[in-house]
Amino acid sequence: MTKNSGGFLLGAIIGGVSAAAAALLFAPKSGAELRKDIADEADRLLDQLQEYSDIAVERGSEFTQTAKEASSDIKLNLKDTANVVKDHLTEATSKVKDTAKSAKKDFYETGKDAADSVKKAADDTKEELKDTAEKATKEANETADKAVKEVDEASK
């Protein structure tokens, strides 16, 4: 029962008792009849109050049972949800680890490829410089030989 309906019930009981008492007190009856009527009305009201009390206890038991069942259901749902979240996190962690391993491997291979490319470019450049130096040396020697010949011819 809610707080408001409990107040209403109490008001109805008090109102009923007051109305019954007023009816008995203002009725033209002898003292013995009045006392008997008051006792009968009191017994009836006590029986009615006992019925309301039994109903309240029964409803309280029902509410208690419903609350226990609901809390049990909530507990199971939370446990299931926690397990689902745990499974998702485990799966996500595994995917992140796999992605990190793959990225590390890709980075290593890319770095190795870049290093190989740089080494090849350096070797090619070294070869070109060697060829260029040999050509320049050959041309310089030829020019020097030509200059020596011209000097020799001029001195004759």
Side-chain angles (χ1 to χ4, degrees), residues 68-82:
K68 284 180 182 178
E69 290 172 3
S71 66
S72 177
D73 289 346
I74 290 170
K75 186 177 179 182
L76 288 174
N77 287 339
L78 286 175
K79 191 179 236 183
D80 290 344
T81 302

Side-chain angles (χ1 to χ4, degrees), residues 8-35:
F8 174 77
L9 182 61
L10 182 61
I13 290 170
I14 291 172
V17 169
S18 299
L24 289 174
L25 289 174
F26 290 112
K29 293 185 180 181
S30 69
E33 286 179 6
L34 181 60
R35 284 191 297 275

Side-chain angles (χ1 to χ4, degrees), residues 1-3 5 55-72:
M1 285 189 189
T2 64
K3 195 172 190 176
S5 64
I55 290 171
V57 168
E58 183 181 324
R59 293 282 164 84
S61 296
E62 289 174 6
F63 288 147
T64 301
Q65 185 62 31
T66 302
K68 284 180 182 178
E69 290 172 3
S71 66
S72 177

